[in-house]
Amino acid sequence: QLVESGGGLVQAGDSLRLSCASSGRTFTNYAMAWFRQAPGKEREFVAGIRWSGGTTYNQDSVKGRFTISRDNAKITVYLQMNSLKPEDTAVYYCAAGSVLSSSIPNARVYNSWGQGTQVTVSS
């Protein structure tokens, strides 16, 4: 089970940090990722992290602004979002699973999902 927190309403240029805590355990090829879905749009990959080694992956539109990190002991992943823009407005979802590196941006390979947390950025 994945439990997200940290969403909210902010102004453009502000920062937010999302958290996603797992009540399960890690396993081979374990990875966690953040996806987002804006109204009327498909769910899109934001960032992912491989648990073993900590390799991170980011969507081009968030590079330099968003940072994904993990806490091994707590099995928690974070998404630090800086310089937020109105186009970042969406419901953000946490996902986890046994995922090959090449598939980390693919939402269909994850078998655990959080409930989603709303992020709204006003201009």
Side-chain angles (χ1 to χ4, degrees):
Q1 182 180 4
L2 303 176
V3 178
E4 300 143 343
S5 60
L9 171 63
V10 298
Q11 293 185 333
D14 285 352
S15 298
L16 276 177
R17 190 176 82 152
L18 306 183
S19 300
C20 174
S22 172
S23 60
R25 61 177 182 85
T26 62
F27 36 84
T28 302
N29 290 329
Y30 191 75
M32 295 184 76
W34 290 96
F35 290 79
R36 66 186 181 187
Q37 189 165 18
K41 295 187 177 182
E42 293 187 353
R43 191 169 298 189
E44 65 172 358
F45 172 76
V46 177
I49 186 166
R50 175 154 301 289
W51 215 254
S52 175
T55 303
T56 61
Y57 308 80
N58 294 281
Q59 184 202 106
D60 287 344
S61 67
V62 306
K63 285 181 179 178
R65 299 190 298 124
F66 292 8
T67 303
I68 188 170
S69 61
R70 75 194 192 294
D71 183 319
N72 286 344
K74 297 180 180 179
I75 313 181
T76 296
V77 65
Y78 305 97
L79 185 67
Q80 178 66 43
M81 305 185 293
N82 299 328
S83 302
L84 282 161
K85 304 175 181 180
E87 51 263 44
D88 294 318
T89 295
V91 177
Y92 283 70
Y93 297 90
C94 175
S98 178
V99 181
L100 297 177
S101 296
S102 58
S103 296
I104 283 180
N106 185 351
R108 290 175 290 182
V109 303
Y110 292 89
N111 54 16
S112 294
W113 288 86
Q115 79 284 359
T117 185
Q118 177 70 47
V119 172
T120 303
V121 184
S122 63
S123 57

